[in-house]
Amino acid sequence: MDTHDRDALIQHILTSEAEAQARLHNGMNPQEIRQSLGPFTSKDAGGPERVKDAIDAYLRSAVRTGLPEFMRTFWGASQPASVIGSLLADIRNTTMHSFAVSPAATIIEREMIRGIAERIGFNANGIFTTGGSNSNELGLVCARENLIPGSHRTGIQGHRLCVLTSDEAHYSVDSAMNRMGIGMDSIIRVPTNNGVMQPQDLIKAIHHVKEEGMEPLAIVSTAGSTVRGAFEDLNAIADIAEKHGIWHHVDAAWGGSVLFSERYRSMLNGIERADSVTFDAHKMLGASMVCSMFLLRDGRVLENAMAHTEKGDYLFDDPVSSQSLGRISPQCGRRADALKLWLTWLDIGSDGFGKIVDSCMDVAEHLAKLVEKKDEVELISHQFTNVCIRFTPKENETTEEGDMRVRKARDKLEQDGTAMVIDARLDGRLVIRFAAAQPSVDKEAVTRFLENLIEVDQV
Ligand SMILES: Cc1ncc(COP(=O)(O)O)c(C=O)c1O
């Protein structure tokens, strides 16, 4: 295949996408999908024709995340300018480790970090990562280096570390503790009220772990929890973290987009006092997967935490090596993800991001109000753009039977291609977790979704 064939195939993808039948998925089972996609490898050169067949097979069975019925994740179809940013990154196949090979992308990445940091209200440093999970892990790695300077070399021998976080925090905190060798059992779950850590419980937990001979490594707050959409009181937690000298990491992977909304910015008040922040542009802002950043107030901590990169000095031997982002990244080769946010920001502007947030808030509120009006369903929770729904219990219905109704309805909607949404556990019960996250999921879409949800429960 030459570049002419490549360009023709790119055009083919765009045309097929525009003409495709508007269904969420084609209803094939895993076996059928596998059969339709193959062959997967080839000894002989199949050339553009075989690639075209493979593309067509992929497009037939890949879920159409941009449709209004797609409500399963915190993102859908990406912004048009982000798709171009992604292509731009591929065309030059830039890797971010050294300024010499990625001068433009390095400057763009730094400017994107600066742009988000300004919105947060601190003069931050940071790096693009492989996702919110990775950003949360970097927060804890930096907290470790801050608490035990030199631990990038010595490890944490002799220290009994623990992390304090909400019982509704994202599982990437568990993942980080697992992979850092501290262990998930060293996560202290602070009780929540409506998904929000209570300051007095947090203080109690800090005293308790210290009495037990443990050292609090960090407090991880969540701004936009995964199931409930809850935002911690970041100022209250910052007060406690500052008083006790504990690193405060804010996981704003889901709720961080609120930085762009004049109407709702105050939900993040206090974020500017955090030591580090996770921010995902690939969620509500519509940058394509993945486009996540880790930001921190004191960039020297990240430099120290990533000191192992000094062993890769052959990578950073260019004259402006001090500019090389590879020195502060856990990755070596790294994609130029910042280009997606850059072009999207230029295209729709901060105002456009703000409008997305405001309209997602409106859509969620619309759905929550509809749920309240219907006898067949109960509104379990509505915070941010997350709306958690359960069916009104029938007489003598057990919790398990109620859970079954939720799971069955979710599965049926998904099988039929009527809607894709998740169910999740909240306060011990299974709920339908809706989250407005992309502009195509509008008021009309959620009205239809609720009607369908009620209908499938009744058959
Ligand atoms: C609160 C929260 N933190 C972190 C993450 C992980 O983000 P990512 O999927 O980018 O790794 C998620 C994902 O949904 C999340 O909801």
Side-chain angles (χ1 to χ4, degrees):
M1 182 187 306
D2 56 23
T3 52
H4 177 77
D5 296 322
R6 177 198 66 189
D7 297 351
L9 284 175
I10 291 174
Q11 187 53 53
H12 173 69
I13 293 173
L14 299 176
T15 312
S16 310
E17 211 31 18
E19 290 171 353
Q21 220 193 346
R23 275 188 61 77
L24 265 178
H25 60 74
N26 63 9
M28 288 197 276
N29 66 35
Q31 182 79 0
E32 289 165 338
I33 294 173
R34 195 169 189 291
Q35 256 165 16
S36 79
L37 284 173
F40 296 95
T41 58
S42 170
K43 181 170 181 307
D44 64 313
E49 274 314 305
R50 201 179 288 165
V51 173
K52 182 168 174 289
D53 290 345
I55 290 170
D56 290 342
Y58 180 81
L59 289 176
R60 269 196 303 276
S61 47
V63 172
R64 292 174 62 84
T65 56
L67 293 182
E69 293 82 19
F70 185 78
M71 307 161 177
R72 208 177 195 284
T73 59
F74 286 153
W75 57 88
S78 40
Q79 285 285 331
S82 172
V83 176
I84 299 169
S86 200
L87 181 63
L88 202 57
D90 276 0
I91 289 286
R92 288 288 165 95
N93 203 17
T94 302
T95 176
M96 297 301 303
H97 71 276
S98 133
F99 186 84
V101 296
S102 59
T106 300
I107 291 169
I108 291 163
E109 176 159 337
R110 285 193 192 281
E111 287 301 316
M112 292 300 102
I113 296 279
R114 204 164 65 84
I116 297 298
E118 259 173 22
R119 298 226 146 229
I120 290 175
F122 63 20
N123 192 6
N125 280 290
I127 191 85
F128 274 65
T129 68
T130 62
S133 304
N134 185 220
S135 299
N136 282 344
E137 181 172 7
L138 270 187
L140 295 188
V141 170
C142 285
R144 186 212 63 203
E145 193 61 32
N146 181 61
L147 183 69
I148 314 167
S151 53
H152 63 272
R153 186 169 289 281
T154 60
I156 53 167
Q157 292 170 33
H159 293 268
R160 281 184 64 212
L161 302 179
C162 66
V163 158
L164 298 122
T165 194
S166 120
D167 51 13
E168 295 191 9
H170 188 257
Y171 76 89
S172 49
V173 178
D174 301 57
S175 163
M177 292 292 274
N178 170 8
R179 290 188 293 152
M180 288 169 74
I182 304 173
M184 287 152 54
D185 287 350
S186 299
I187 300 175
I188 308 302
R189 304 283 175 189
V190 179
T192 51
N193 184 2
N194 270 332
V196 176
M197 280 194 279
Q198 299 301 291
Q200 65 278 16
D201 289 329
L202 180 58
I203 295 168
K204 226 188 278 173
I206 293 170
H207 288 306
H208 178 71
V209 295
K210 284 187 174 170
E211 277 161 25
E212 295 284 309
M214 285 189 271
E215 292 168 81
L217 171 65
I219 299 168
V220 178
S221 300
T222 312
S225 60
T226 313
V227 178
R228 206 189 291 261
F231 281 62
E232 314 271 17
D233 181 343
L234 298 178
N235 268 318
I237 296 176
D239 286 343
I240 298 168
E242 284 164 16
K243 177 157 183 253
H244 291 267
I246 304 173
W247 186 276
H248 182 202
H249 176 77
V250 176
D251 175 1
W254 172 220
S257 317
V258 166
L259 287 172
F260 287 91
S261 163
E262 278 176 30
R263 256 157 72 187
Y264 300 106
R265 169 63 178 81
S266 61
M267 291 166 76
L268 286 170
N269 280 354
I271 192 171
E272 67 285 352
R273 294 170 65 191
D275 292 293
S276 56
V277 172
T278 290
F279 180 91
D280 275 3
H282 63 239
K283 292 193 163 82
M284 201 183 279
L285 296 191
S288 34
M289 295 287 281
V290 293
C291 195
S292 174
M293 349 176 153
F294 170 68
L295 304 111
L296 80 169
R297 182 192 296 280
D298 182 355
R300 286 167 309 179
V301 181
L302 181 58
E303 276 170 30
N304 293 339
M306 295 293 116
H308 60 268
T309 54
E310 281 161 13
K311 292 205 67 157
D313 57 356
Y314 59 93
L315 291 171
F316 315 121
D317 63 350
D318 48 273
V320 273
S321 60
S322 60
Q323 296 282 337
S324 294
L325 287 170
R327 265 290 287 113
I328 53 167
S329 169
Q331 293 173 259
C332 179
R334 188 163 62 89
R335 205 175 133 75
D337 286 320
L339 271 55
K340 296 180 281 191
L341 177 59
W342 174 52
L343 295 189
T344 307
W345 205 332
L346 290 177
D347 180 33
I348 68 171
S350 304
D351 293 347
F353 287 143
K355 275 188 193 143
I356 294 175
V357 176
D358 293 352
S359 93
C360 285
M361 293 290 278
D362 287 348
V363 167
E365 194 176 329
H366 177 75
L367 176 62
K369 281 190 176 145
L370 285 181
V371 172
E372 276 177 328
K373 279 191 212 142
K374 299 269 182 197
D375 293 338
E376 297 90 338
V377 278
E378 280 184 351
L379 183 65
I380 302 298
S381 171
H382 169 213
Q383 291 189 50
F384 187 37
T385 73
N386 298 41
V387 179
C388 297
I389 309 167
R390 206 167 147 90
F391 296 112
T392 306
K394 295 177 181 158
E395 220 182 316
N396 299 324
E397 182 180 281
T398 63
T399 305
E400 290 71 27
E401 284 164 347
D403 290 350
M404 283 283 286
R405 284 171 73 193
V406 168
R407 174 58 53 87
K408 265 176 70 182
R410 189 208 75 103
D411 286 353
K412 183 86 175 71
L413 289 175
E414 188 163 308
Q415 269 160 19
D416 295 350
T418 311
M420 288 180 86
V421 68
I422 65 163
D423 58 25
R425 234 157 240 292
L426 197 64
D427 300 329
R429 290 177 300 174
L430 210 56
V431 293
I432 294 286
R433 198 273 340 244
F434 164 88
Q438 61 161 323
S440 70
V441 180
D442 54 14
K443 288 183 184 172
E444 202 184 307
V446 297
T447 306
R448 211 167 45 234
F449 163 66
L450 187 61
E451 281 164 10
N452 288 327
L453 181 68
I454 291 171
E455 194 181 313
V456 289
D457 177 55
Q458 285 166 352
V459 288

